[in-house]
Amino acid sequence: MKDHIVQEVRDARAAVAADFGFDLNNFFAWAKEQSAAESKAKHWLPIQPKGLIDAKVATGATKVGKRPARSLREKV
């Protein structure tokens, strides 16, 4: 009696192998490219939401615990 799950895994593995011409070097080259692309994509994610950064710059409160900078008219 054959296990249908094992057969599905074997069929999937054969399909992937056929996609790469049954060449492990082609498969590993593709996997390396995908890994590098994923790593590069992660480096471009912003640390903080853009709206929050823009709000801090607009108010002058760029450091924690600091008050926003005042204009000369407010000081007089």
Side-chain angles (χ1 to χ4, degrees):
M1 183 171 138
K2 288 187 175 180
D3 188 358
H4 67 282
I5 295 174
V6 172
Q7 189 59 43
E8 284 182 32
V9 170
R10 288 178 179 163
D11 292 342
R13 183 175 48 204
V16 170
D19 288 344
F20 293 98
F22 300 94
D23 186 4
L24 282 177
N25 290 329
N26 286 343
F27 174 76
F28 287 122
W30 172 84
K32 188 175 181 179
E33 289 173 7
Q34 295 299 313
S35 178
E38 184 177 313
S39 295
K40 185 177 179 182
K42 287 181 182 178
H43 290 292
W44 288 99
L45 295 176
I47 295 171
Q48 294 180 340
K50 185 171 173 33
L52 181 61
I53 293 170
D54 291 342
K56 285 182 178 181
V57 172
T59 60
T62 55
K63 294 186 178 180
V64 177
K66 287 274 192 173
R67 291 188 198 174
R70 296 183 185 185
S71 68
L72 291 176
R73 290 185 185 181
E74 292 177 8
K75 290 182 180 177
V76 175

Coordinates of all heavy atoms in Angstrom, one line a residue:
M1 N 0.8 -1.2 0.0 CA 0.0 0.0 0.0 C 0.9 1.2 0.0 O 1.8 1.4 0.8 CB -0.9 0.0 1.2 CG -1.8 1.1 1.3 SD -3.0 0.8 2.6 CE -3.1 2.5 3.3
K2 N 0.6 2.2 -0.9 CA 1.4 3.4 -1.0 C 0.7 4.5 -0.1 O -0.5 4.6 -0.1 CB 1.5 3.9 -2.4 CG 2.4 3.1 -3.3 CD 2.6 3.8 -4.6 CE 3.6 3.0 -5.5 NZ 3.8 3.6 -6.8
D3 N 1.6 5.3 0.5 CA 1.1 6.4 1.2 C 0.9 7.6 0.3 O 1.8 8.0 -0.4 CB 2.0 6.8 2.4 CG 1.5 7.8 3.3 OD1 0.4 8.3 3.1 OD2 2.2 8.2 4.3
H4 N -0.3 8.2 0.2 CA -0.6 9.2 -0.8 C 0.2 10.5 -0.4 O 0.6 11.3 -1.4 CB -2.0 9.5 -0.9 CG -2.6 10.2 0.4 ND1 -3.0 9.4 1.5 CD2 -2.9 11.4 0.7 CE1 -3.5 10.2 2.4 NE2 -3.5 11.5 1.9
I5 N 0.6 10.8 0.8 CA 1.3 12.0 1.2 C 2.8 11.8 0.7 O 3.3 12.7 0.1 CB 1.3 12.2 2.7 CG1 -0.1 12.6 3.1 CG2 2.3 13.3 3.1 CD1 -0.3 12.7 4.6
V6 N 3.3 10.6 0.9 CA 4.7 10.4 0.4 C 4.7 10.5 -1.1 O 5.7 11.1 -1.7 CB 5.2 9.0 0.8 CG1 6.5 8.6 0.2 CG2 5.3 8.9 2.4
Q7 N 3.7 10.0 -1.8 CA 3.7 10.1 -3.3 C 3.6 11.6 -3.7 O 4.2 12.0 -4.7 CB 2.5 9.3 -3.8 CG 2.5 9.2 -5.3 CD 3.8 8.5 -5.8 OE1 4.2 7.5 -5.2 NE2 4.3 9.0 -6.9
E8 N 2.8 12.4 -3.0 CA 2.7 13.8 -3.4 C 4.0 14.5 -3.2 O 4.4 15.3 -4.0 CB 1.7 14.5 -2.5 CG 0.2 14.2 -2.8 CD -0.7 15.0 -1.9 OE1 -0.4 16.1 -1.5 OE2 -1.8 14.5 -1.7
V9 N 4.8 14.2 -2.1 CA 6.1 14.8 -1.9 C 7.0 14.4 -3.0 O 7.8 15.2 -3.6 CB 6.7 14.4 -0.5 CG1 8.1 14.8 -0.4 CG2 5.8 15.0 0.6
R10 N 7.0 13.1 -3.4 CA 7.9 12.6 -4.5 C 7.5 13.3 -5.8 O 8.4 13.7 -6.6 CB 7.8 11.1 -4.6 CG 8.5 10.4 -3.5 CD 8.3 8.9 -3.6 NE 9.0 8.3 -2.4 CZ 8.8 7.0 -2.1 NH1 7.9 6.3 -2.7 NH2 9.5 6.5 -1.0
D11 N 6.3 13.5 -6.1 CA 5.8 14.1 -7.3 C 6.3 15.6 -7.3 O 6.7 16.1 -8.4 CB 4.3 14.1 -7.5 CG 3.8 12.6 -7.7 OD1 4.7 11.8 -8.1 OD2 2.6 12.4 -7.5
A12 N 6.1 16.3 -6.2 CA 6.6 17.7 -6.1 C 8.1 17.8 -6.3 O 8.5 18.7 -7.0 CB 6.1 18.3 -4.8
R13 N 8.8 16.9 -5.7 CA 10.3 16.9 -5.8 C 10.7 16.7 -7.3 O 11.6 17.3 -7.8 CB 10.9 15.9 -4.9 CG 12.4 15.9 -4.9 CD 13.0 14.9 -3.9 NE 12.4 13.6 -4.0 CZ 12.4 12.7 -3.0 NH1 13.0 13.0 -1.9 NH2 11.8 11.6 -3.2
A14 N 10.0 15.8 -7.9 CA 10.3 15.5 -9.4 C 10.0 16.7 -10.2 O 10.7 17.0 -11.2 CB 9.5 14.3 -9.8
A15 N 8.9 17.4 -9.9 CA 8.5 18.6 -10.7 C 9.6 19.7 -10.5 O 9.9 20.4 -11.5 CB 7.1 19.1 -10.2
V16 N 10.0 19.9 -9.3 CA 11.1 20.9 -9.0 C 12.4 20.5 -9.8 O 13.0 21.4 -10.4 CB 11.3 21.1 -7.5 CG1 12.5 22.0 -7.3 CG2 10.1 21.7 -6.9
A17 N 12.7 19.3 -9.7 CA 13.9 18.8 -10.3 C 13.8 19.0 -11.9 O 14.8 19.4 -12.5 CB 14.2 17.4 -10.0
A18 N 12.7 18.8 -12.4 CA 12.5 19.0 -13.9 C 12.6 20.4 -14.2 O 13.1 20.8 -15.3 CB 11.1 18.4 -14.3
D19 N 12.1 21.3 -13.4 CA 12.2 22.8 -13.6 C 13.6 23.2 -13.8 O 13.9 24.2 -14.5 CB 11.5 23.6 -12.5 CG 10.0 23.5 -12.5 OD1 9.4 23.0 -13.6 OD2 9.4 23.8 -11.5
F20 N 14.5 22.6 -13.1 CA 15.9 23.0 -13.1 C 16.8 22.0 -14.0 O 18.0 22.0 -13.8 CB 16.5 23.1 -11.7 CG 15.9 24.2 -10.9 CD1 14.9 24.0 -10.1 CD2 16.4 25.5 -11.1 CE1 14.3 25.1 -9.4 CE2 15.8 26.6 -10.5 CZ 14.8 26.4 -9.6
G21 N 16.1 21.2 -14.8 CA 16.8 20.3 -15.7 C 17.6 19.2 -14.9 O 18.6 18.7 -15.4
F22 N 17.1 18.9 -13.8 CA 17.7 17.8 -13.0 C 19.2 18.1 -12.6 O 20.0 17.2 -12.4 CB 17.6 16.4 -13.6 CG 16.2 16.0 -13.9 CD1 15.6 16.3 -15.1 CD2 15.5 15.4 -12.8 CE1 14.2 15.9 -15.3 CE2 14.1 15.0 -13.0 CZ 13.5 15.3 -14.3
D23 N 19.5 19.4 -12.5 CA 20.9 19.9 -12.2 C 20.9 20.6 -10.9 O 20.3 21.7 -10.7 CB 21.4 20.8 -13.3 CG 22.8 21.2 -13.2 OD1 23.5 20.7 -12.2 OD2 23.3 22.0 -14.0
L24 N 21.6 20.0 -9.9 CA 21.6 20.6 -8.6 C 22.3 22.0 -8.6 O 22.0 22.9 -7.8 CB 22.3 19.7 -7.6 CG 21.4 18.5 -7.0 CD1 22.2 17.6 -6.1 CD2 20.2 19.0 -6.3
N25 N 23.3 22.1 -9.4 CA 24.0 23.4 -9.5 C 23.1 24.5 -9.9 O 23.1 25.6 -9.4 CB 25.2 23.3 -10.4 CG 26.3 22.5 -9.9 OD1 26.5 22.4 -8.7 ND2 27.1 21.8 -10.7
N26 N 22.2 24.3 -10.9 CA 21.2 25.3 -11.3 C 20.3 25.6 -10.1 O 19.9 26.8 -9.9 CB 20.4 24.8 -12.5 CG 21.2 24.8 -13.7 OD1 22.2 25.5 -13.8 ND2 20.7 24.1 -14.7
F27 N 19.8 24.6 -9.4 CA 18.9 24.8 -8.3 C 19.6 25.6 -7.2 O 19.0 26.6 -6.7 CB 18.4 23.5 -7.7 CG 17.6 23.6 -6.4 CD1 16.3 24.1 -6.5 CD2 18.2 23.4 -5.2 CE1 15.6 24.2 -5.3 CE2 17.4 23.5 -4.0 CZ 16.1 24.0 -4.1
F28 N 20.8 25.3 -6.8 CA 21.5 26.0 -5.8 C 21.8 27.5 -6.2 O 21.8 28.4 -5.4 CB 22.7 25.3 -5.3 CG 22.3 24.1 -4.4 CD1 22.8 22.8 -4.8 CD2 21.6 24.2 -3.3 CE1 22.4 21.7 -4.0 CE2 21.2 23.1 -2.5 CZ 21.6 21.9 -2.9
A29 N 22.1 27.7 -7.5 CA 22.4 29.0 -8.0 C 21.1 29.9 -7.8 O 21.1 31.0 -7.4 CB 22.9 29.0 -9.4
W30 N 20.0 29.3 -8.2 CA 18.7 30.0 -8.1 C 18.4 30.3 -6.6 O 18.0 31.4 -6.3 CB 17.6 29.1 -8.7 CG 16.2 29.7 -8.4 CD1 15.6 30.6 -9.1 CD2 15.3 29.3 -7.3 NE1 14.3 30.9 -8.6 CE2 14.2 30.1 -7.5 CE3 15.4 28.4 -6.3 CZ2 13.1 30.0 -6.6 CZ3 14.4 28.3 -5.4 CH2 13.2 29.1 -5.6
A31 N 18.6 29.3 -5.7 CA 18.4 29.5 -4.3 C 19.3 30.6 -3.7 O 18.8 31.5 -2.9 CB 18.6 28.2 -3.5
K32 N 20.5 30.7 -4.2 CA 21.4 31.7 -3.7 C 21.0 33.1 -4.2 O 21.0 34.1 -3.4 CB 22.8 31.4 -4.2 CG 23.9 32.3 -3.7 CD 25.3 31.9 -4.1 CE 26.3 32.8 -3.6 NZ 27.7 32.4 -4.0
E33 N 20.5 33.2 -5.4 CA 20.0 34.5 -5.9 C 18.7 34.9 -5.2 O 18.6 36.1 -4.8 CB 19.6 34.3 -7.4 CG 20.8 34.2 -8.3 CD 20.3 33.9 -9.8 OE1 19.1 33.9 -10.1 OE2 21.2 33.6 -10.6
Q34 N 17.9 34.0 -4.9 CA 16.6 34.3 -4.1 C 17.0 34.8 -2.7 O 16.4 35.7 -2.2 CB 15.7 33.1 -4.0 CG 15.2 32.7 -5.4 CD 14.3 33.8 -6.0 OE1 13.5 34.4 -5.4 NE2 14.6 34.1 -7.3
S35 N 17.9 34.2 -2.1 CA 18.4 34.5 -0.7 C 19.0 35.9 -0.7 O 18.7 36.7 0.2 CB 19.4 33.5 -0.2 OG 19.8 33.9 1.1
A36 N 19.8 36.2 -1.7 CA 20.4 37.6 -1.8 C 19.4 38.6 -2.1 O 19.4 39.7 -1.5 CB 21.5 37.6 -2.9
A37 N 18.4 38.3 -2.9 CA 17.3 39.3 -3.2 C 16.5 39.6 -2.0 O 16.1 40.7 -1.7 CB 16.5 38.8 -4.3
E38 N 16.2 38.5 -1.2 CA 15.5 38.7 0.0 C 16.2 39.5 1.1 O 15.6 40.4 1.7 CB 15.1 37.3 0.6 CG 14.2 37.4 1.8 CD 13.9 36.0 2.3 OE1 13.5 35.1 1.5 OE2 14.0 35.7 3.5
S39 N 17.5 39.3 1.2 CA 18.3 40.0 2.2 C 18.4 41.5 1.8 O 18.3 42.4 2.6 CB 19.7 39.5 2.2 OG 19.7 38.2 2.7
K40 N 18.5 41.8 0.5 CA 18.6 43.1 0.0 C 17.2 43.8 0.2 O 17.2 45.0 0.6 CB 18.9 43.1 -1.5 CG 19.1 44.5 -2.1 CD 19.5 44.5 -3.5 CE 19.7 45.9 -4.1 NZ 20.0 45.9 -5.5
A41 N 16.1 43.1 0.1 CA 14.8 43.7 0.3 C 14.6 44.1 1.7 O 14.0 45.1 2.1 CB 13.7 42.8 -0.2
K42 N 15.1 43.3 2.6 CA 15.0 43.6 4.1 C 15.7 44.8 4.5 O 15.4 45.5 5.4 CB 15.5 42.4 4.9 CG 14.5 41.2 4.8 CD 15.1 40.1 5.7 CE 14.1 38.9 5.6 NZ 14.6 37.8 6.4
H43 N 16.8 45.2 3.8 CA 17.6 46.3 4.2 C 17.0 47.6 3.8 O 17.3 48.7 4.3 CB 19.0 46.3 3.5 CG 19.9 45.2 4.1 ND1 20.4 45.2 5.4 CD2 20.3 44.0 3.6 CE1 21.1 44.1 5.6 NE2 21.1 43.4 4.5
W44 N 16.0 47.6 3.0 CA 15.3 48.8 2.5 C 14.1 49.2 3.4 O 13.5 50.2 3.1 CB 14.9 48.7 1.1 CG 16.1 48.7 0.2 CD1 16.7 47.7 -0.4 CD2 16.8 49.9 -0.2 NE1 17.8 48.1 -1.2 CE2 17.9 49.5 -1.1 CE3 16.7 51.3 0.0 CZ2 18.8 50.4 -1.6 CZ3 17.6 52.1 -0.6 CH2 18.6 51.7 -1.4
L45 N 13.8 48.4 4.3 CA 12.6 48.7 5.2 C 12.9 49.8 6.1 O 14.0 49.9 6.7 CB 12.2 47.4 6.0 CG 11.7 46.3 5.2 CD1 11.4 45.1 6.1 CD2 10.4 46.6 4.4
P46 N 12.0 50.8 6.2 CA 12.2 51.9 7.1 C 12.2 51.5 8.6 O 11.5 50.5 8.9 CB 11.1 52.9 6.8 CG 10.0 52.0 6.2 CD 10.7 50.9 5.5
I47 N 13.0 52.2 9.4 CA 13.0 51.8 10.8 C 11.7 52.3 11.5 O 11.1 51.7 12.4 CB 14.2 52.5 11.5 CG1 15.5 51.8 10.9 CG2 14.2 52.3 13.0 CD1 16.8 52.5 11.3
Q48 N 11.3 53.5 11.2 CA 10.0 54.1 11.7 C 9.1 54.4 10.5 O 9.6 54.7 9.4 CB 10.3 55.4 12.5 CG 11.2 55.2 13.7 CD 11.4 56.5 14.4 OE1 11.3 57.6 13.8 NE2 11.7 56.5 15.7
P49 N 7.8 54.5 10.8 CA 6.9 54.9 9.8 C 7.2 56.3 9.3 O 7.6 57.2 10.0 CB 5.5 54.9 10.4 CG 5.7 54.1 11.6 CD 7.1 54.2 12.0
K50 N 7.1 56.5 8.0 CA 7.5 57.8 7.3 C 6.7 59.0 7.9 O 7.3 60.0 8.2 CB 7.3 57.7 5.8 CG 7.8 59.0 5.1 CD 7.7 58.7 3.6 CE 8.1 60.0 2.8 NZ 9.0 60.9 3.3
G51 N 5.5 58.9 8.2 CA 4.7 59.9 8.8 C 5.2 60.4 10.1 O 5.2 61.6 10.4
L52 N 5.6 59.5 10.9 CA 6.2 59.8 12.3 C 7.5 60.6 12.1 O 7.7 61.6 12.9 CB 6.4 58.5 13.1 CG 6.9 58.7 14.5 CD1 5.9 59.5 15.3 CD2 7.1 57.3 15.1
I53 N 8.3 60.2 11.2 CA 9.6 60.9 11.0 C 9.3 62.3 10.5 O 9.9 63.3 11.0 CB 10.5 60.1 10.0 CG1 10.9 58.8 10.7 CG2 11.7 61.0 9.7 CD1 11.6 57.9 9.7
D54 N 8.4 62.5 9.6 CA 8.1 63.8 9.0 C 7.5 64.7 10.1 O 7.8 65.9 10.2 CB 7.1 63.7 7.9 CG 7.7 63.0 6.6 OD1 9.0 63.0 6.6 OD2 7.0 62.6 5.8
A55 N 6.7 64.1 11.0 CA 6.1 65.0 12.1 C 7.2 65.5 13.0 O 7.1 66.6 13.5 CB 5.0 64.1 12.8
K56 N 8.1 64.6 13.3 CA 9.2 65.0 14.2 C 10.0 66.1 13.6 O 10.4 67.1 14.3 CB 10.1 63.9 14.6 CG 9.5 62.9 15.6 CD 10.5 61.8 15.9 CE 10.0 60.8 16.9 NZ 11.0 59.8 17.2
V57 N 10.3 66.0 12.3 CA 11.1 67.0 11.7 C 10.4 68.4 11.6 O 10.9 69.4 11.8 CB 11.6 66.6 10.3 CG1 12.2 67.7 9.5 CG2 12.5 65.4 10.4
A58 N 9.1 68.3 11.3 CA 8.3 69.5 11.2 C 8.1 70.3 12.5 O 8.1 71.5 12.5 CB 6.9 69.1 10.6
T59 N 8.1 69.6 13.6 CA 7.9 70.2 14.9 C 9.3 70.6 15.5 O 9.3 71.3 16.5 CB 7.1 69.3 15.9 OG1 7.8 68.1 16.0 CG2 5.7 69.1 15.4
G60 N 10.3 70.0 15.0 CA 11.7 70.3 15.6 C 12.0 69.3 16.7 O 13.0 69.5 17.4
A61 N 11.1 68.4 17.1 CA 11.3 67.5 18.2 C 12.0 66.3 17.6 O 11.4 65.2 17.5 CB 10.0 67.2 18.8
T62 N 13.3 66.4 17.3 CA 14.0 65.2 16.8 C 14.7 64.4 17.9 O 15.0 63.3 17.6 CB 15.1 65.7 15.8 OG1 15.9 66.6 16.4 CG2 14.4 66.4 14.6
K63 N 14.9 64.9 19.1 CA 15.5 64.1 20.1 C 14.4 64.0 21.2 O 13.6 64.8 21.5 CB 16.7 64.9 20.7 CG 17.8 64.9 19.7 CD 19.1 65.5 20.3 CE 20.2 65.5 19.3 NZ 21.4 66.0 19.9
V64 N 14.5 62.9 21.9 CA 13.6 62.5 23.0 C 13.8 63.5 24.1 O 14.9 63.8 24.6 CB 13.8 61.1 23.5 CG1 12.9 60.8 24.7 CG2 13.6 60.1 22.4
G65 N 12.7 64.1 24.7 CA 12.8 65.0 25.8 C 13.1 66.4 25.4 O 13.1 67.3 26.3
K66 N 13.2 66.7 24.2 CA 13.5 68.1 23.7 C 12.2 68.8 23.3 O 11.3 68.2 22.8 CB 14.5 68.1 22.5 CG 15.9 67.7 22.9 CD 16.6 69.0 23.3 CE 18.1 68.8 23.4 NZ 18.8 70.0 23.6
R67 N 12.2 70.1 23.6 CA 11.0 70.9 23.1 C 11.3 71.3 21.7 O 12.4 71.4 21.3 CB 10.9 72.1 24.0 CG 10.5 71.9 25.4 CD 10.2 73.2 26.0 NE 10.2 73.1 27.4 CZ 10.1 74.1 28.2 NH1 10.0 75.4 27.8 NH2 10.0 73.9 29.5
P68 N 10.2 71.5 21.0 CA 10.4 72.0 19.6 C 11.1 73.4 19.6 O 10.9 74.2 20.5 CB 9.0 72.2 19.1 CG 8.1 71.3 20.0 CD 8.8 71.3 21.3
A69 N 11.9 73.7 18.6 CA 12.6 74.9 18.5 C 11.6 76.1 18.3 O 10.6 75.9 17.6 CB 13.5 74.9 17.3
R70 N 11.8 77.2 19.0 CA 10.9 78.4 18.9 C 11.5 79.4 17.9 O 12.7 79.5 17.7 CB 10.8 79.1 20.2 CG 10.2 78.2 21.3 CD 10.0 79.0 22.5 NE 9.5 78.1 23.6 CZ 9.2 78.6 24.8 NH1 9.4 79.9 25.1 NH2 8.8 77.8 25.7
S71 N 10.6 80.1 17.3 CA 11.0 81.1 16.3 C 11.4 82.4 17.1 O 11.1 82.5 18.3 CB 9.9 81.4 15.3 OG 8.8 82.1 16.0
L72 N 12.0 83.3 16.5 CA 12.5 84.6 17.1 C 11.3 85.4 17.6 O 11.3 86.0 18.6 CB 13.3 85.4 16.1 CG 14.7 84.8 15.8 CD1 15.4 85.7 14.8 CD2 15.5 84.7 17.1
R73 N 10.2 85.4 16.9 CA 9.0 86.1 17.3 C 8.4 85.6 18.6 O 7.9 86.4 19.5 CB 7.9 86.0 16.3 CG 8.3 86.8 15.0 CD 7.1 86.8 14.0 NE 7.6 87.4 12.8 CZ 6.8 87.5 11.7 NH1 5.5 87.1 11.8 NH2 7.2 88.1 10.7
E74 N 8.5 84.3 18.9 CA 7.9 83.8 20.1 C 8.8 84.1 21.3 O 8.3 84.2 22.5 CB 7.8 82.3 20.0 CG 6.7 81.8 19.1 CD 6.7 80.3 18.9 OE1 7.3 79.6 19.7 OE2 5.9 79.9 18.0
K75 N 10.1 84.3 21.1 CA 11.0 84.6 22.2 C 10.9 86.0 22.7 O 11.2 86.4 23.9 CB 12.5 84.4 21.8 CG 12.8 82.9 21.6 CD 14.2 82.7 21.2 CE 14.5 81.3 21.0 NZ 15.9 81.0 20.5
V76 N 10.4 87.0 21.9 CA 10.4 88.4 22.3 C 9.2 88.6 23.1 O 8.3 88.1 23.4 CB 10.3 89.3 21.0 CG1 10.1 90.7 21.4 CG2 11.5 89.0 20.2

